[in-house]
mmCIF file of all heavy atoms in Angstrom:
data_model
loop_
_atom_site.group_PDB
_atom_site.id
_atom_site.type_symbol
_atom_site.label_atom_id
_atom_site.label_comp_id
_atom_site.label_asym_id
_atom_site.label_seq_id
_atom_site.Cartn_x
_atom_site.Cartn_y
_atom_site.Cartn_z
ATOM 1 N N PRO T 263 6.788 -30.062 15.719
ATOM 2 C CA PRO T 263 7.062 -28.894 16.594
ATOM 3 C C PRO T 263 5.856 -28.570 17.459
ATOM 4 O O PRO T 263 4.732 -29.080 17.253
ATOM 5 C CB PRO T 263 7.389 -27.812 15.582
ATOM 6 C CG PRO T 263 6.623 -28.100 14.328
ATOM 7 C CD PRO T 263 6.664 -29.629 14.314
ATOM 8 N N GLU T 264 5.967 -27.644 18.331
ATOM 9 C CA GLU T 264 4.922 -27.044 19.069
ATOM 10 C C GLU T 264 4.244 -25.922 18.285
ATOM 11 O O GLU T 264 4.912 -24.926 18.066
ATOM 12 C CB GLU T 264 5.466 -26.487 20.430
ATOM 13 C CG GLU T 264 4.421 -25.800 21.318
ATOM 14 C CD GLU T 264 4.911 -25.242 22.580
ATOM 15 O OE1 GLU T 264 5.847 -25.877 23.091
ATOM 16 O OE2 GLU T 264 4.630 -24.136 22.847
ATOM 17 N N TRP T 265 3.135 -26.169 17.712
ATOM 18 C CA TRP T 265 2.554 -25.189 16.784
ATOM 19 C C TRP T 265 1.903 -24.017 17.533
ATOM 20 O O TRP T 265 1.544 -24.120 18.714
ATOM 21 C CB TRP T 265 1.359 -25.833 16.021
ATOM 22 C CG TRP T 265 1.839 -26.981 15.230
ATOM 23 C CD1 TRP T 265 1.504 -28.299 15.538
ATOM 24 C CD2 TRP T 265 2.634 -27.051 14.175
ATOM 25 N NE1 TRP T 265 2.150 -29.160 14.644
ATOM 26 C CE2 TRP T 265 2.777 -28.429 13.701
ATOM 27 C CE3 TRP T 265 3.339 -26.052 13.379
ATOM 28 C CZ2 TRP T 265 3.542 -28.772 12.580
ATOM 29 C CZ3 TRP T 265 4.071 -26.440 12.249
ATOM 30 C CH2 TRP T 265 4.139 -27.791 11.892
ATOM 31 N N GLY T 266 1.893 -22.878 16.894
ATOM 32 C CA GLY T 266 1.184 -21.716 17.485
ATOM 33 C C GLY T 266 2.208 -20.742 18.137
ATOM 34 O O GLY T 266 3.507 -20.880 17.988
ATOM 35 N N MET T 267 1.652 -19.759 18.919
ATOM 36 C CA MET T 267 2.426 -18.745 19.470
ATOM 37 C C MET T 267 2.810 -19.061 20.926
ATOM 38 O O MET T 267 2.035 -19.752 21.634
ATOM 39 C CB MET T 267 1.664 -17.461 19.442
ATOM 40 C CG MET T 267 1.292 -16.903 18.028
ATOM 41 S SD MET T 267 2.808 -16.592 17.010
ATOM 42 C CE MET T 267 3.629 -15.218 18.020
ATOM 43 N N ARG T 268 3.920 -18.542 21.386
ATOM 44 C CA ARG T 268 4.389 -18.740 22.742
ATOM 45 C C ARG T 268 5.041 -17.380 23.098
ATOM 46 O O ARG T 268 5.709 -16.818 22.390
ATOM 47 C CB ARG T 268 5.323 -19.905 22.888
ATOM 48 C CG ARG T 268 6.117 -19.890 24.074
ATOM 49 C CD ARG T 268 7.231 -20.934 24.123
ATOM 50 N NE ARG T 268 6.708 -22.253 24.601
ATOM 51 C CZ ARG T 268 7.320 -23.166 25.269
ATOM 52 N NH1 ARG T 268 8.574 -22.918 25.658
ATOM 53 N NH2 ARG T 268 6.759 -24.271 25.629
ATOM 54 N N ARG T 269 4.736 -17.070 24.368
ATOM 55 C CA ARG T 269 5.397 -15.863 24.965
ATOM 56 C C ARG T 269 6.478 -16.401 25.920
ATOM 57 O O ARG T 269 6.143 -17.229 26.835
ATOM 58 C CB ARG T 269 4.424 -15.064 25.747
ATOM 59 C CG ARG T 269 4.693 -13.560 25.693
ATOM 60 C CD ARG T 269 3.586 -12.834 26.471
ATOM 61 N NE ARG T 269 3.191 -11.704 25.624
ATOM 62 C CZ ARG T 269 2.473 -10.680 26.166
ATOM 63 N NH1 ARG T 269 2.086 -10.781 27.389
ATOM 64 N NH2 ARG T 269 2.126 -9.681 25.379
ATOM 65 N N HIS T 270 7.660 -15.948 25.748
ATOM 66 C CA HIS T 270 8.716 -16.438 26.654
ATOM 67 C C HIS T 270 9.846 -15.483 26.597
ATOM 68 O O HIS T 270 10.222 -14.931 25.531
ATOM 69 C CB HIS T 270 9.278 -17.896 26.044
ATOM 70 C CG HIS T 270 10.420 -18.381 26.779
ATOM 71 N ND1 HIS T 270 11.749 -18.119 26.469
ATOM 72 C CD2 HIS T 270 10.522 -19.279 27.807
ATOM 73 C CE1 HIS T 270 12.506 -18.771 27.298
ATOM 74 N NE2 HIS T 270 11.839 -19.438 28.040
ATOM 75 N N GLY T 271 10.489 -15.303 27.742
ATOM 76 C CA GLY T 271 11.643 -14.429 27.868
ATOM 77 C C GLY T 271 11.360 -13.059 27.406
ATOM 78 O O GLY T 271 10.585 -12.301 27.957
ATOM 79 N N ASP T 272 12.023 -12.568 26.298
ATOM 80 C CA ASP T 272 11.960 -11.275 25.835
ATOM 81 C C ASP T 272 10.880 -10.965 24.759
ATOM 82 O O ASP T 272 10.870 -9.814 24.261
ATOM 83 C CB ASP T 272 13.336 -10.875 25.274
ATOM 84 C CG ASP T 272 14.432 -10.925 26.304
ATOM 85 O OD1 ASP T 272 14.175 -10.442 27.418
ATOM 86 O OD2 ASP T 272 15.494 -11.424 26.045
ATOM 87 N N GLY T 273 10.066 -11.910 24.481
ATOM 88 C CA GLY T 273 9.031 -11.628 23.418
ATOM 89 C C GLY T 273 8.242 -12.743 23.017
ATOM 90 O O GLY T 273 8.101 -13.720 23.817
ATOM 91 N N SER T 274 7.558 -12.551 21.901
ATOM 92 C CA SER T 274 6.644 -13.587 21.308
ATOM 93 C C SER T 274 7.369 -14.431 20.238
ATOM 94 O O SER T 274 8.235 -13.925 19.491
ATOM 95 C CB SER T 274 5.407 -12.932 20.755
ATOM 96 O OG SER T 274 4.741 -12.203 21.759
ATOM 97 N N HIS T 275 6.971 -15.637 20.153
ATOM 98 C CA HIS T 275 7.654 -16.614 19.219
ATOM 99 C C HIS T 275 6.474 -17.510 18.579
ATOM 100 O O HIS T 275 5.466 -17.650 19.236
ATOM 101 C CB HIS T 275 8.676 -17.373 19.902
ATOM 102 C CG HIS T 275 9.440 -16.765 21.016
ATOM 103 N ND1 HIS T 275 10.586 -16.077 20.825
ATOM 104 C CD2 HIS T 275 9.147 -16.581 22.343
ATOM 105 C CE1 HIS T 275 11.000 -15.552 21.983
ATOM 106 N NE2 HIS T 275 10.121 -15.833 22.889
ATOM 107 N N GLY T 276 6.773 -17.980 17.426
ATOM 108 C CA GLY T 276 5.707 -18.759 16.847
ATOM 109 C C GLY T 276 6.266 -19.748 15.807
ATOM 110 O O GLY T 276 7.231 -19.563 15.078
ATOM 111 N N ILE T 277 5.465 -20.898 15.557
ATOM 112 C CA ILE T 277 5.779 -21.839 14.568
ATOM 113 C C ILE T 277 4.366 -22.132 13.861
ATOM 114 O O ILE T 277 3.420 -22.375 14.446
ATOM 115 C CB ILE T 277 6.355 -23.113 15.099
ATOM 116 C CG1 ILE T 277 7.668 -22.787 15.888
ATOM 117 C CG2 ILE T 277 6.619 -24.130 13.999
ATOM 118 C CD1 ILE T 277 8.235 -24.009 16.604
ATOM 119 N N GLY T 278 4.483 -22.090 12.527
ATOM 120 C CA GLY T 278 3.226 -22.340 11.768
ATOM 121 C C GLY T 278 3.529 -23.023 10.487
ATOM 122 O O GLY T 278 4.702 -22.957 9.964
ATOM 123 N N ARG T 279 2.553 -23.633 9.900
ATOM 124 C CA ARG T 279 2.681 -24.304 8.646
ATOM 125 C C ARG T 279 2.599 -23.182 7.478
ATOM 126 O O ARG T 279 1.873 -22.204 7.574
ATOM 127 C CB ARG T 279 1.580 -25.283 8.389
ATOM 128 C CG ARG T 279 1.484 -26.386 9.458
ATOM 129 C CD ARG T 279 0.517 -27.426 9.141
ATOM 130 N NE ARG T 279 0.315 -28.384 10.310
ATOM 131 C CZ ARG T 279 1.010 -29.559 10.333
ATOM 132 N NH1 ARG T 279 2.001 -29.747 9.485
ATOM 133 N NH2 ARG T 279 0.869 -30.260 11.379
ATOM 134 N N ILE T 280 3.291 -23.458 6.453
ATOM 135 C CA ILE T 280 3.322 -22.540 5.240
ATOM 136 C C ILE T 280 1.903 -22.753 4.516
ATOM 137 O O ILE T 280 1.405 -21.866 4.016
ATOM 138 C CB ILE T 280 4.490 -22.817 4.297
ATOM 139 C CG1 ILE T 280 5.765 -22.464 4.970
ATOM 140 C CG2 ILE T 280 4.237 -22.071 2.950
ATOM 141 C CD1 ILE T 280 5.914 -21.020 5.357
ATOM 142 N N GLY T 281 1.447 -23.966 4.472
ATOM 143 C CA GLY T 281 0.226 -24.267 3.821
ATOM 144 C C GLY T 281 0.312 -25.371 2.874
ATOM 145 O O GLY T 281 1.398 -25.817 2.470
ATOM 146 N N GLY T 282 -0.886 -25.939 2.473
ATOM 147 C CA GLY T 282 -0.875 -27.010 1.540
ATOM 148 C C GLY T 282 -0.197 -28.186 2.101
ATOM 149 O O GLY T 282 -0.274 -28.500 3.211
ATOM 150 N N ASP T 283 0.356 -28.969 1.205
ATOM 151 C CA ASP T 283 1.073 -30.317 1.619
ATOM 152 C C ASP T 283 2.543 -30.030 1.823
ATOM 153 O O ASP T 283 3.292 -31.015 1.992
ATOM 154 C CB ASP T 283 0.916 -31.290 0.545
ATOM 155 C CG ASP T 283 -0.579 -31.659 0.219
ATOM 156 O OD1 ASP T 283 -1.351 -31.580 1.248
ATOM 157 O OD2 ASP T 283 -0.978 -31.921 -0.897
ATOM 158 N N SER T 284 2.918 -28.801 1.915
ATOM 159 C CA SER T 284 4.322 -28.483 2.114
ATOM 160 C C SER T 284 4.875 -28.960 3.509
ATOM 161 O O SER T 284 4.015 -28.783 4.488
ATOM 162 C CB SER T 284 4.647 -27.025 1.933
ATOM 163 O OG SER T 284 5.971 -26.732 2.300
ATOM 164 N N GLU T 285 6.063 -29.572 3.533
ATOM 165 C CA GLU T 285 6.613 -29.878 4.867
ATOM 166 C C GLU T 285 7.431 -28.689 5.364
ATOM 167 O O GLU T 285 8.011 -28.809 6.442
ATOM 168 C CB GLU T 285 7.500 -31.033 4.638
ATOM 169 C CG GLU T 285 6.756 -32.356 4.230
ATOM 170 C CD GLU T 285 7.650 -33.562 4.151
ATOM 171 O OE1 GLU T 285 8.819 -33.503 4.369
ATOM 172 O OE2 GLU T 285 7.172 -34.643 3.832
#
Side-chain angles (χ1 to χ4, degrees):
E264 179 184 315
W265 303 108
M267 299 299 297
R268 164 184 276 213
R269 214 179 227 194
H270 175 274
D272 297 317
S274 298
H275 323 271
I277 301 176
R279 301 181 187 277
I280 293 296
D283 297 327
S284 173
E285 295 183 359

